[in-house]
Amino acid sequence: MSQPFAPQSPAPLSALENAAEFLPRHVGINAADEAQMLAVIGEASRRALIESIVPRSIARSRAMDLPPPVTEAAALAELRALAARNRVLKSFIGQGYYGTHTPGVIQRNILENPAWYTAYTPYQSEISQGRMEALVNFQTMVCDLTGMPIANASMLDEATAAAEAMALAKRSVKSASERFIVAGDAHPQTIEVIRTRAAPLGIDVVLAQSAAEWDAALAGDYFAVLAQYPASSGRIDDLRADVQKVHARQAALIVAADLLALTLLSPPGEWGADIVVGSSQRFGMPMGAGGPHAAYMACRDAFKRSLPGRLVGVSVDAHGRPAYRLALQTREQHIRREKATSNICTAQALPAVIASMYAVYHGPAGLRRIALRVASYTAILAKGLEQLGAPLHAQDCFDTLVLRTGDATRSLAARALQWGANLRVCDENWLCISLDETTTRADVELLWRIFAGDARDLPAFDAFEPGVEPLIPAALRRRSSYLTHPVFNTHHSETGMLRYLRALADKDLALDRSMIPLGSCTMKLNATSEMIPITWPEFAGVHPFAPADQLQGYYELDAQLRAWLCQATGYAGVSLQPNAGSQGEYAGLLAIRAWHRARGQGQRTVCLIPSSAHGTNPASAQMAGMQVVVSACDARGNVDLADLQAQCERHSANLAAVMITYPSTHGVFETQVKELCALVHRHGGLVYVDGANMNALVGVAAPGEFGGDVSHLNLHKTFCIPHGGGGPGVGPVCVVQDLVPYLPGHATAGIAGGVGAVSAAPLGNAAVLPISWMYCRMMGAEGLRAATESAILSANYVSARLKAHYPTLYASANGHVAHECILDLRPLKESSGVLAEDVAKRLIDYGFHAPTLSFPVPNTLMVEPTESETLSELDRFIDAMIAIRAEIRQIETGVWPRDDNPLKNAPHTAESLLCADWQRPYSRETAAYPVASLRKNKYWSPVGRVDNLWGERNLSCSCIPVSDYA
């Protein structure tokens, strides 16, 4: 029988209103859990634990000055008010960004589905088969539409893809020239980013502003040329004759191509292009004030081993079945470091998945129908404008018209604004109008009305009902087929598409199934309330180059978030333009370079980087025109200060910067970081503090206060933007006051800066910034600090409970770690033949994504539990690791052979366990259900262990033929 509630005195309204309600929803540990964990660690309180770990010399002396937390509902309402300050007009701007319809089945089941957006980069192949299939679909789509033999799994945006193509060409061609020719009618933001990237590398960018200048440039000296196809003004140039001219110079032809246009246009690969880049934005991804959108890069086969970014390839598993894996990883920055082709780490995996599924859902016929509708409406618009006497400039085109409007340019643009439309003002004499998938008959009539005025009759749409001929030249019309694989010709009903997406998601492990304890990756909660705003039309439907008064909501959000990040980091200024951590690194190093040059010390180009650093550090330094010098680490994983001092003295006159990660890549708070910063400053250098581990600092220490000059953050780690299976991300660059003038600008958007644009859009991946805004707004200063302390508590709990089974490799003098710990599995190789990889694969059988494998130390596992996991989930992971150690003892004692045991054969698929002839020295039950809880909730790996070597020897990066599954 239930008991009645006891009489209570009135509760304070503040307690009932519960403004801090989100904190216990984000942090998985309650007070009772905390007491239990502290007892295991051997500390009296969380405060005592933190004070024993974080050096007192760097501890914050005052709290962050942030607004107090509000409830989820209140934060959403406040953000709604900000969003309402954006004005969503009908966009005819074009310039690489277009209206598109995101199919509802894709929006709900990918973009808004945590099974997709909380997944990590697919380094663990076996538990990533679903998203890798989707990315292979993307690669196949790009190859088919461009006519190229190989494509990567996404780039950050079209402008940076073009800049990466420039670097790829420079590395790959025989020409020794330093000149890069760019067509003047490429997108202006692309030209700007190319110039930013070229300057530190000593590349001379030459713009060809007319056909005559283009022809003259092609007759000269260069290592590559880039042309837009169709051009930014809409013109379709016949580039076929230029290919032979370029190749005769031992140079490369780069084409920036529109994927939707390529359903109707002759693909660049068919007429000899070497590299093709572009954006897939108009394949279902909203404009979002500039991002995130998946750019692409495709290239000739000879360039594939220098191709930047991720590349998903096909291999076989232990049972001979087809399986996907990340291919050619030896070319990436974490292997090649300063010799890498690119610094890209996070890319745009989730937008790439959306683009690929847009193609899967519509199929080749559907894409062609959309493209023909756009092209037909463009031709109809042109005919109507001609009838009205508008100053239309005759040209072949796909979706964009150009008009010589002279003195009427501004008045016509203003008239369009009054009617709720944005036209592109190219300059004082020219207007451009771009149509897209969302264009309707009413839109075309609106455009006619803008140019006709109020008094004149409009052309009759009925006259065009039988159809019109597109304005695409016959010689450049596509004749080849594309998207012929069954995946693009099967799932066209919503039922079929829904089930296909569900089948792919079921193959993968993401945060919606279990914790992902990846060290240096911070796989924390991506709360639903944080995700909700990204699809609001006021955020999603805005063009990045719309007039500034239409972006006021974004500008205010940007200003607030930058101010909050300054509080979190202790820096004076922040730019949110970098659309990945790697780009934030690059922007920070450009700021350092510009500051030295402004002071007449351009000779300062030496960048000291510890040997333990993540590979993006040296890759970024090289891209910024710096000379990388590696400094040593001591036996405890710390920066060797004696060696660093010797290097500083040796390079004192030329020292530009030292790059460190703090806490260290080894998961430890180094006690002499202030001394390190002072040492570098004495020799005229600046200190770059990599923000990869900021989840251990927010609220407890600030790099801008303990000596850092520059940091980048990863909003897709510390500030809750989901990883999306490998992107999107945001990499804000934070600087001290002296460097604020050298933050990135964006001339295309009219924004001044000390260095040029580093992203195509002025706010980078603007559409995901509301996620971090919501996180900060709901947590407040005390909540953010509690999150940091809880993350450190969880890491130390894991380390303490596992130390008898797997010693922690690096720790402070008192045995504690920061927010992650490295488990040392190296002795197991000699005692049992077991490698860290075997433990990683066996964890899949237990239902876990493995910790970070063999970084920063080979044959170790780095665990970062984050603050969001519950104690029960931490214990489930710890129990799995202990059980695996017991299995290893079975090998050590000879019960199981070294080459035939549950670890070497992991992961075990359901199919492999159902074979009639089971001859393993362990039972099927041991393979499938090593702990009892798995009987109730079991994740089955869809494939056995993937054969990496086979995949490298038999490289294939497009959709698997259906016959291979037989």
Side-chain angles (χ1 to χ4, degrees), residues 568-622:
T569 60
Y571 287 112
V574 176
S575 170
L576 298 177
Q577 187 186 129
N579 52 13
S582 59
Q583 305 312 294
E585 274 186 16
Y586 177 67
L589 291 165
L590 287 183
I592 291 172
R593 179 177 180 269
W595 182 77
H596 283 308
R597 289 164 70 92
R599 298 171 72 243
Q601 296 190 343
Q603 85 284 355
R604 290 189 174 273
T605 59
V606 170
C607 185
L608 299 179
I609 301 178
S611 58
S612 63
H614 192 281
T616 56
N617 290 174
S620 296
Q622 178 272 329

Side-chain angles (χ1 to χ4, degrees), residues 159-160 162-164 166-167 170 178-182 190-206 223 586 590 593 597 622-625 756-758:
T160 55
E164 295 281 356
M166 173 183 70
K170 187 73 176 70
E178 298 294 331
R179 298 182 81 203
F180 183 55
I181 310 299
V182 180
T190 297
I191 296 172
E192 187 175 356
V193 171
I194 285 173
R195 282 175 159 161
T196 301
R197 289 284 192 94
L201 302 177
I203 294 173
D204 180 22
V205 177
V206 178
F223 69 86
Y586 177 67
L590 287 183
R593 179 177 180 269
R597 289 164 70 92
Q622 178 272 329
M623 289 171 56
V758 296

Side-chain angles (χ1 to χ4, degrees), residues 573-885:
V574 176
S575 170
L576 298 177
Q577 187 186 129
N579 52 13
S582 59
Q583 305 312 294
E585 274 186 16
Y586 177 67
L589 291 165
L590 287 183
I592 291 172
R593 179 177 180 269
W595 182 77
H596 283 308
R597 289 164 70 92
R599 298 171 72 243
Q601 296 190 343
Q603 85 284 355
R604 290 189 174 273
T605 59
V606 170
C607 185
L608 299 179
I609 301 178
S611 58
S612 63
H614 192 281
T616 56
N617 290 174
S620 296
Q622 178 272 329
M623 289 171 56
M626 295 185 177
Q627 175 192 350
V628 174
V629 175
V630 178
S631 64
C633 290
D634 63 24
R636 299 182 65 179
N638 300 322
V639 174
D640 187 328
L641 277 184
D643 181 72
L644 184 69
Q645 180 172 345
Q647 298 279 19
C648 285
E649 292 171 355
R650 183 177 303 118
H651 300 285
S652 184
N654 300 315
L655 181 62
V658 171
M659 297 185 78
I660 62 169
T661 301
Y662 198 81
S664 75
T665 312
H666 293 134
V668 176
F669 280 93
E670 298 180 45
T671 58
Q672 295 182 294
V673 66
K674 290 193 75 171
E675 291 81 357
L676 181 154
C677 295
L679 168 65
V680 175
H681 291 154
R682 284 199 301 273
H683 288 275
L686 299 181
V687 179
Y688 190 110
V689 181
D690 187 317
N693 292 338
M694 194 68 194
N695 211 51
L697 291 178
V698 177
V700 301
E705 294 179 357
F706 63 66
D709 299 292
V710 184
S711 291
H712 81 273
L713 307 178
N714 294 298
L715 297 192
H716 49 288
K717 292 183 181 182
T718 313
F719 294 93
C720 292
I721 291 174
H723 284 71
V730 177
V733 55
C734 315
V735 298
V736 294
Q737 187 63 53
D738 285 350
L739 295 183
V740 170
Y742 306 104
L743 288 171
H746 207 290
T748 305
I751 300 172
V755 298
V758 296
S759 299
L763 287 180
N765 283 341
V768 294
L769 295 178
I771 299 170
S772 297
W773 187 96
M774 284 288 295
Y775 175 61
C776 294
R777 192 68 189 88
M778 294 186 294
M779 292 288 279
E782 286 303 310
L784 291 176
R785 180 185 178 107
T788 299
E789 294 179 350
S790 297
I792 294 172
L793 170 66
S794 293
N796 280 276
Y797 176 71
V798 171
S799 175
R801 279 207 59 198
L802 287 178
K803 65 182 179 182
H805 310 277
Y806 309 92
T808 295
L809 183 56
Y810 297 112
S812 57
N814 59 11
H816 293 332
V817 297
H819 66 307
E820 59 192 4
C821 58
I822 299 176
L823 304 180
D824 190 2
L825 278 65
R826 293 175 298 175
L828 300 178
K829 180 179 179 181
E830 182 175 346
S831 67
S832 65
V834 169
L835 303 176
E837 182 181 16
D838 300 320
V839 176
K841 303 308 181 187
R842 183 57 170 156
L843 275 168
I844 297 172
D845 288 330
Y846 285 77
F848 285 103
H849 191 298
T852 299
L853 175 63
S854 291
F855 176 83
V857 180
N859 208 21
T860 62
L861 293 176
M862 182 160 60
V863 181
E864 182 184 355
T866 84
E867 71 273 15
S868 297
E869 297 303 334
T870 63
L871 178 57
S872 62
E873 184 71 352
L874 294 175
D875 283 338
R876 192 172 74 89
F877 170 74
I878 292 166
D879 291 345
M881 289 294 293
I882 293 172
I884 290 172
R885 186 62 184 91

Side-chain angles (χ1 to χ4, degrees), residues 327-347:
L328 299 182
Q329 291 190 53
T330 53
R331 80 204 192 291
E332 291 189 21
Q333 35 75 19
H334 63 283
I335 302 292
R336 293 184 58 84
R337 299 176 71 81
E338 71 273 12
K339 297 180 181 178
T341 60
S342 167
N343 71 339
I344 286 180
C345 185
T346 295

Side-chain angles (χ1 to χ4, degrees), residues 33-247:
D33 298 333
E34 183 176 300
Q36 181 179 336
M37 296 164 72
L38 288 167
V40 171
I41 297 168
E43 291 287 354
S45 67
R46 191 174 79 193
R47 169 61 48 212
L49 174 68
I50 299 303
E51 291 182 353
S52 72
I53 293 173
V54 180
R56 294 300 85 199
S57 61
I58 69 167
R60 294 189 73 123
S61 57
R62 54 187 173 82
M64 297 178 288
D65 184 12
L66 300 179
V70 295
T71 64
E72 295 183 57
L76 285 168
E78 192 174 318
L79 191 58
R80 270 285 188 195
L82 271 184
R85 299 194 62 193
N86 293 327
R87 295 176 58 211
V88 184
L89 275 63
K90 183 68 182 182
S91 177
F92 300 105
I93 297 173
Q95 199 175 322
Y97 300 92
Y98 306 90
T100 182
H101 293 304
T102 308
V105 67
I106 293 175
Q107 177 174 321
R108 175 59 58 87
N109 295 287
I110 298 179
L111 184 57
E112 299 173 345
N113 184 350
W116 288 93
Y117 66 69
T118 69
Y120 187 64
T121 305
Y123 286 122
Q124 289 292 324
S125 303
E126 295 80 7
I127 52 86
S128 309
Q129 292 296 297
R131 59 188 179 277
M132 283 203 284
E133 179 171 331
L135 291 173
V136 164
N137 291 347
F138 178 84
Q139 293 173 180
T140 303
M141 173 191 79
V142 170
C143 286
D144 281 10
L145 292 177
T146 61
M148 302 298 287
I150 194 165
N152 67 13
S154 75
M155 301 292 283
L156 295 169
D157 58 41
E158 181 170 343
T160 55
E164 295 281 356
M166 173 183 70
L168 172 60
K170 187 73 176 70
R171 180 184 179 92
S172 303
V173 300
K174 294 182 179 179
S175 171
S177 174
E178 298 294 331
R179 298 182 81 203
F180 183 55
I181 310 299
V182 180
D185 206 359
H187 292 319
Q189 67 271 21
T190 297
I191 296 172
E192 187 175 356
V193 171
I194 285 173
R195 282 175 159 161
T196 301
R197 289 284 192 94
L201 302 177
I203 294 173
D204 180 22
V205 177
V206 178
L207 281 190
Q209 298 284 18
S210 66
E213 289 184 11
W214 176 259
D215 289 339
L218 260 58
D221 176 54
Y222 50 87
F223 69 86
V225 301
L226 180 142
Q228 195 89 39
Y229 180 71
S232 192
S233 65
R235 186 184 66 254
I236 300 174
D237 292 323
D238 189 345
L239 300 168
R240 293 175 297 177
D242 295 331
V243 174
Q244 290 184 344
K245 298 177 186 177
V246 172
H247 289 169

Side-chain angles (χ1 to χ4, degrees), residues 289-357:
H293 306 132
Y296 70 86
M297 180 183 289
C299 67
R300 60 193 299 182
D301 189 71
F303 294 175
K304 66 187 177 187
R305 294 190 181 274
S306 295
L307 184 67
R310 310 269 184 245
L311 186 67
V312 180
V314 179
S315 186
V316 295
D317 72 357
H319 313 294
R321 297 284 193 180
Y324 299 105
R325 59 180 290 275
L326 290 181
L328 299 182
Q329 291 190 53
T330 53
R331 80 204 192 291
E332 291 189 21
Q333 35 75 19
H334 63 283
I335 302 292
R336 293 184 58 84
R337 299 176 71 81
E338 71 273 12
K339 297 180 181 178
T341 60
S342 167
N343 71 339
I344 286 180
C345 185
T346 295
Q348 300 283 22
L350 189 67
V353 169
I354 290 170
S356 78
M357 293 308 170

